[in-house]
Amino acid sequence: GIDTAQAAPSCSADMNIANLLEQAIRTRPEVKAAQSAVATAQHQVQAAKGSFGPKVYADGSYGRRDDSSSLEDEAWFAGISVELTVFEGFSTQHKVARTRAAVAKAEAGLDRVRLVVRKEVWAACARVQEARELVKATTTQVHDAEESLRLMSARYTAGAGTITDLLDVQTALTAAEARHVQARWSCQQAQSSLRRATGTLTNEE
């Protein structure tokens, strides 16, 4: 028979769904892209706001008067200039409004991506849990079939059972083992889907 003790470990660990959700939000590339879009839109708002109001520049210099031969005849020159933006109607206000709308759209997009990622993690966790339960169930079926085969073999050896009965029990064990192998494979697939949902599936897997 198959070694069921080696089949279950990878499907027996408890899942912390809260940690998995946090990891997915932190790791998934589409979440990072949506966060970057929000940051870019917010930067554009600040740039648009910066076009309002006058711009003030300070300037200063130090030197010696050209019309003096004395090295001690020094002079300081300082000044402030103000740059006023020519009236552009309401174009600046419209630009700020557009950039704010872009921020709202980017934030809504980020919320949608986060929601989709969370749904995928929840669904993947449910599949893993179902797969683990199936592994446990088929493990029990294999053990029961092995015990039935042991008892039937003893009965057959003692002349209390027929060869047909023995073959039937052997066939039942083979079927139980096949179901258990399939359950293990399904569990591995479910775990790979969970790693993909949390953004931790590597290229080697």
Side-chain angles (χ1 to χ4, degrees):
I2 61 174
D3 187 359
T4 55
Q6 296 298 322
S10 63
C11 288
S12 62
D14 293 332
M15 292 182 294
N16 188 318
I17 295 180
N19 288 345
L20 292 173
L21 289 170
E22 180 182 350
Q23 183 177 33
I25 296 300
R26 185 177 61 252
T27 308
R28 289 279 292 267
E30 53 266 63
V31 175
K32 292 181 179 180
Q35 290 172 335
S36 178
V38 171
T40 299
Q42 291 173 339
H43 177 74
Q44 291 173 346
V45 169
Q46 296 303 317
K49 287 182 177 180
S51 62
F52 276 115
K55 296 179 175 60
V56 180
Y57 304 94
D59 186 24
S61 62
Y62 168 79
R64 187 169 58 85
R65 295 181 184 277
D66 293 337
D67 57 354
S68 174
S69 60
S70 173
L71 295 178
E72 297 179 357
D73 196 2
E74 302 170 342
W76 285 90
F77 300 93
I80 296 177
S81 60
V82 178
E83 179 181 301
L84 297 175
T85 303
V86 178
F87 180 69
E88 299 176 350
F90 295 99
S91 62
T92 303
Q93 291 92 327
H94 291 166
K95 182 177 181 181
V96 172
R98 286 196 303 270
T99 55
R100 284 176 174 168
V103 170
K105 182 177 180 180
E107 289 176 340
L110 176 58
D111 289 340
R112 285 194 298 270
V113 170
R114 285 172 173 168
L115 179 61
V116 169
V117 167
R118 289 191 179 100
K119 286 183 177 180
E120 289 179 356
V121 172
W122 274 105
C125 285
R127 287 193 294 271
V128 169
Q129 189 59 40
E130 291 173 359
R132 289 175 177 174
E133 293 299 326
L134 185 57
V135 168
K136 291 179 182 179
T138 56
T139 298
T140 300
Q141 291 172 5
V142 169
H143 289 163
D144 291 344
E146 289 174 341
E147 180 62 14
S148 296
L149 179 59
R150 185 186 69 80
L151 294 175
M152 181 54 66
S153 296
R155 285 170 55 84
Y156 179 75
T157 301
T162 66
I163 186 64
T164 300
D165 294 333
L166 181 61
L167 291 175
D168 288 344
V169 174
Q170 288 176 333
T171 300
L173 174 59
T174 300
E177 290 175 338
R179 289 192 296 271
H180 184 65
V181 170
Q182 180 59 45
R184 289 169 57 186
W185 174 247
S186 297
C187 189
Q188 295 297 330
Q189 288 182 315
Q191 288 184 318
S192 293
S193 295
L194 179 58
R195 288 192 293 273
R196 186 179 298 106
T198 55
T200 59
L201 184 65
T202 63
N203 294 330
E204 289 76 15
E205 294 181 274

